[in-house]
Every structure is written in C-alpha cells, then in structure tokens.
Amino acid sequence: MTDEASPANALPPPRVRLLRDGGRDLLVVEGAWTLHTLAPKNVRRPLLRRLHTGARNAPWRLSAAEFDAAGACFLLTAWSGTLPPDLEGDEEQRALLEHCRNALQGEEAPAPRVSPLEALGASVLGSGRSLLHALEVLGGFALRTLAVLSGRRRPHLGALSREITATGVRALFIVALVSLLIGIVISYLIALEARGYSAYGLLIFVLGVAILRELGPVLAALLVAGRSGSAITAEIGVMRIRGELDALRAMGLDEGGRLIDPKIVALVVALPLLTLWSDFFALAGGLLTASLTLNLPVGHLVDLIPQTVPSSDYWIGIGKAAVFGLVIGIVATTFGLEIEADSQSLGEKTTRSVVTAITTVILLDALAALAFRSIGLS
Amino acid sequence: MTTAAVPILEADGMSVRYGPQWILRDVSFRVEAGECLGLVGPSGTGKSALLRHLLALEQTAGGHLSLFGRRIDGPDDPVLHLLRRRIGILFQGGALFSALDVLENVALPPRAMHLPTDWANAMARVALSEAGLDPIVTGHKKPAELSGGMATRAALARAIVLGPELLVLDEPTQGLDPPVARAFVTALRELRHRSSSTVLLVTHDLETLRALADRIAVLGEGKLLTIGTPDEVTRYDHPVVHDYFQGWRTLA
C-alpha cells in the first residue's frame, strides 16, 4: 500500500550521522528528506532527537542529503527556524533552506486572546444588537403591513401561499402525531387518578384547559420553531452568503415585501390553524384514552367539554398562537439577516434562532398565563 | 518499463454520463510527467464533469482511469486515499474552508497526514510564500477577508503544500482582473520552473493557456476533438476548434 503513497520509497532513508573529521565533530545529514520519507512518526522521532541534541555550534554537512520543501521545513522546525552558522551544502540546498527560512521568519501575530469578561460583554452586546435588529425587522414588517392594509402596497400572495404550504401544510402530520401522543399520555395519567374519585368533570376540565389553553399553541409553536424557524434562518442566510439579497436590492426589488413578510405572515396565519389541528388531535387522543380507561362512552365525555371548559380558554390559545407565529417569524428572519459569509456562522445563527424562538415562546406563554389568569378557568 | 514512461494520468476510453444524458464519450488521453496539459472547450462541453471523473470523484460510465500508472476502479478504490496525497487541486473559486483561517486552510493537508503542528505550519507558511502571499499578513485572515486574487493564491498554496506530483488547476484565473490574473499566471510559471511538477489545467482563458500549456486537449460535441501542441491544435480544421481559438494568433 505504501508503494502508492511514496514514489520515493527507493530513496535511502533519512539519517543524521556523527563523523569525526580531523579531530572535530561533524554532523552529516544523509538520505532523502522528503515528505514521504519523513511522514512516519517512528522515522521522525530519532531524527528530531539527533537534530535537537546535535551541538548547536557543531558544523553540519548536507551535501549527501536530498530534500524537498517539506524536508527543509522539517530541518528548520527542528533547528527552531534558524540555520546553524556552520553549514556545508551545495548551492541548491542552501537556496531552498534559505527560501524556507525567510518564509518562516517574522513574528507570527499572536492569536487574539479573549478574556472571559470580554467574551461575556461581547455576548451581551451581541444579544442587544440582535434585539435591536429584531425591533428593526418588526418595525419594517409593521410599516409594510400597514401599507398593504391601507391599499398603498400590493401583497405578494403567491409567495405567501408557498410559505403557508411550507410552514403549515407540510407540518400537519408531525403536529398531529405529537399532539395525539401527548393527549393520550396526559389523559391516561389523569384518568388513572380521577377513577378513584369519579371526578370525570374535573378530568375533562383539566384536559380541556391544559390542551386548548397551553399545550395546543405551545406544542405547535415549538414544532414550527424547530421546523420552519430553522429553515427560514438558513434560507435567508444562504441567500445572504451567495449575494442573492444584494441582487434583490440592486434590482430594486424589496427583500422585505418579497422575502420576509410572506414568511412572517405565513407563520401568523398557519400557527393558529395548526393549533386548532393540534387541539383536535390532542383532545381526540385524550378523550379516547379516558373513555377506554374509565369505560365511559366517548360521546358523553365530548358532551362534557362545552359544559366544563370555558370558550375563552380556546380563544386565548388561538390568540397566543398568532403571537407565537409572529415571534418565530421575527426571530428567524433577524438571525437569518445576521449570518455572515462563512459556513460556521450559518450553523451558529440557525441554532441561536431556534433556541431564541423557543425560549421567547415559553417566556411569552408564562407572561400570558399571568396576564390572563382571571379570564376563563371558570 | 522505466518509471519515466508511466504517464501521470491516463484516461482510456472514458465516458461521462449524468442520468440518461451522455456528456462525453470515449475520451482517451495521457498527461505525461513534467508537462502541462490544458483542457479546454466551449461552456457546457463537460470540462468540469470530466475533471471530476479524472480525479475519481465519480464513477465513470465507461472506460478506465489510471493515476500514476495505477488502474483506478472507482471513487471507492482504497488506493485513492494514498494517491490523492500526490495530487494537489486548485478548485474553481478556491473552495477555501470559510471556518478556518488561511494558515489553517493551507496546513490542513499535512495536518490530515498527522504531521506535527509546527512542521505542518512551517510547510504551510512556505507554501503561502511560494504562492506569493505573506504568511504573516494573510496567515490569520479568514477567507472572507481576502480579495479574489489573494483567495486564489491561498488556494494554490493549499494545493502545493504537499509538493504534489500532479497539480490540477480548475479555472485558476476565473474572476480575476487581467493584471491580477497575469501576476497569478506568472507565479504559476515560476512555480513550475522550480518544482517541475505535472499540471492539468482546465481553463477558459486563452492567455492563461498560452502562457502555461505545453499541450492542449479540446473537448466539444461530446468527445475529445483534438489533442496536441498549441500549434497543432490551433491549426486543426474543425469549426468548434476554429471558433474557440479565434484570436489566438492575434494574442501573440
């Protein structure tokens, strides 16, 4: 196998020999010093020892050796970037060594060191900047939406329809599946407990409030943030890296109306609908499980819902979903526009986009729980 | 057979197909040791596709490929892993890794051979200066901070850092303005002068071709139209070749 790796395998191996020449020590560098002969570690190690310990001031003889740029670099790194003062070699060898030494000369700029405090400050400032960008995106979106509503601007309905398909329709299956399973799990655990007290009304109330008011919108929002939020950030980021955003702007097409607004509006429209969809499957799973666990007809349990669960809980859920959609859209586009022209930034910002969107959604949900505590809940 | 007679790269009846569409059929030529072969052809004739097949990045639809006298069975041939260290490639547009700085980019091939960092970095710095860049000034820049000419030079440094026997240049002067392209071609000529490596050059630019190529292979109409010295090729009587080399004489 190594035959193919090294065309030079017929060459003599590299070595350093100590020669006594007329009462003085002479270090003789011999053999082929090439990338391929020096690549194996077990060849390099004894050579390095020899090169390091070889008396700094002893004369060196290179004439019997053959080396390429890699070999010259190897010798120079072993000699800490300098040539021994007493070096005997032919013109070509000296030229190569000096050429390499010149390339290695000069202080390498020290890698910028960042103290933890600086890093913390930078991250806080970065978050602040992102917040400002997000406000800018929100403001631009609001102004354009007002212009559309007052008829001063035409909406891009084709793009909107594509976006709703991407964020809403394509998410139907996953939202249904997750909601159904969560509904089954919650209902099963509560039903086991409720059976002891025959507290069926309470079971339905808890299921209804938990699903309609909290789980439906939050589940849908988390799934959409993971699915579409990341996709939006990555898409805008790649467009930015490839210069497509500049192209849009240069052609006088506004990227806001064409690219950003349809995505945000699609989320604001699709998320409440997905919440409705999620409510349906979670309740279906919950009621079926409850009826199987408690041996009650499903119809009876369904009848109990309007009697025990106030409709305001449902409307609060739908309303929250629309706000979550707006938040996910703003966060995803903000981070997409912040992506810089390297592959690392794309991954980093996409991650931050999803994490920020999910955190914000949950934070807003907690605030909403406090703000609307006196509404619904009977 | 002496080693000198073994061609560095040999395509024997190679065909390239994407799906049902044949791009090239029955392409045979050799890249001899020490020469610079220019591979040209109008846009869409499959230069890049052929190049991907010559580098064994894709399975050929027919024919054989030999690198350094060794028959390659396909992209998964285990011997490729070792052969590829002997080939330096300057990709179209540079293809520098944007997450790494310039020095890290250039030091990547030796690092991938598990060479120690200080040696790999020394090789990278020498390669950078060979390619005409100052390792101190550009070494710690990210590829995004480089101009087009500098990025191409950094990519060249990465291609030559292991002292390859075969240097593949895919559109090296694309997107460079004439003075920068000329300077880059001069750097390439000097490099060839010093290292006498074999070069396979894919280009659109007649000036680059004139300055570097010892022989030229012309692709067109789904096949290899002709191959020979610049003089032979430009005199070849075929409408595509004629069109392509229009102005070749006046360039001199």
Side-chain angles (χ1 to χ4, degrees), chain A residues 201 204 287 297-309:
Chain A
I204 296 301
L287 293 180
V298 182
H300 177 61
L301 294 176
V302 172
D303 287 342
L304 276 176
I305 292 182
Q307 295 167 27
T308 50
V309 185

Side-chain angles (χ1 to χ4, degrees), chain B residues 214-232:
Chain B
D214 302 318
R215 289 198 305 148
I216 299 175
V218 188
L219 297 177
E221 299 179 342
K223 59 184 189 216
L224 179 66
L225 289 174
T226 177
I227 180 168
T229 62
D231 241 20
E232 290 165 3

Side-chain angles (χ1 to χ4, degrees), chain A residues 350-364:
Chain A
T350 309
T351 309
R352 283 192 61 191
S353 158
V354 174
V355 171
T356 309
I358 290 179
T359 318
T360 315
V361 161
I362 292 185
L363 200 70
L364 283 178

Side-chain angles (χ1 to χ4, degrees), chain B residues 32-248:
Chain B
E32 307 288 352
E35 75 166 342
C36 174
L37 179 76
L39 190 61
V40 300
S43 300
T45 40
K47 291 190 299 291
S48 300
L50 179 62
L51 189 63
R52 289 181 61 78
H53 285 77
L54 292 176
L55 298 172
L57 293 171
E58 277 172 51
Q59 183 75 48
T60 50
H64 302 292
L65 167 71
S66 300
L67 291 170
F68 305 105
R70 176 79 166 64
R71 170 76 70 86
I72 305 297
D73 293 328
D76 301 323
D77 196 319
V79 81
L80 272 175
H81 175 64
L82 295 165
L83 287 180
R84 286 205 166 119
R85 288 183 188 165
R86 295 163 64 179
I87 305 177
I89 307 169
L90 169 59
F91 290 97
Q92 207 169 348
L96 293 169
F97 299 110
S98 56
L100 305 178
D101 70 24
V102 169
L103 193 72
E104 288 169 329
N105 259 290
V106 180
L108 195 61
R111 296 286 290 147
M113 288 176 71
H114 305 289
L115 302 185
T117 318
D118 52 351
W119 187 22
N121 282 346
M123 285 166 70
R125 294 175 75 178
V126 170
L128 278 170
S129 72
E130 291 266 296
L133 288 176
D134 184 343
I136 309 291
V137 179
T138 43
H140 290 292
K141 285 193 174 163
K142 285 284 173 76
E145 299 169 54
L146 299 180
S147 68
M150 284 163 94
T152 313
R153 280 170 188 266
L156 176 67
R158 190 175 66 180
I160 61 172
V161 65
L162 293 181
E165 289 154 78
L166 173 62
L167 181 59
V168 178
L169 307 172
D170 188 3
E171 302 282 7
T173 50
Q174 195 186 43
L176 304 184
D177 61 53
V180 173
R182 267 197 294 276
F184 186 69
V185 168
T186 309
L188 278 174
R189 281 182 79 144
E190 279 167 11
L191 188 73
R192 275 205 72 205
H193 193 69
R194 279 198 300 272
S195 65
S196 71
S197 63
T198 312
V199 178
L200 176 60
L201 168 70
V202 178
T203 187
H204 265 110
D205 183 30
L206 292 186
E207 237 180 294
T208 309
L209 198 65
R210 174 187 288 277
L212 292 172
D214 302 318
R215 289 198 305 148
I216 299 175
V218 188
L219 297 177
E221 299 179 342
K223 59 184 189 216
L224 179 66
L225 289 174
T226 177
I227 180 168
T229 62
D231 241 20
E232 290 165 3
V233 167
T234 48
R235 283 176 210 285
Y236 186 76
D237 194 21
H238 188 286
V240 174
V241 178
H242 194 258
D243 266 8
Y244 198 86
F245 288 103
Q246 226 178 23
W248 174 270

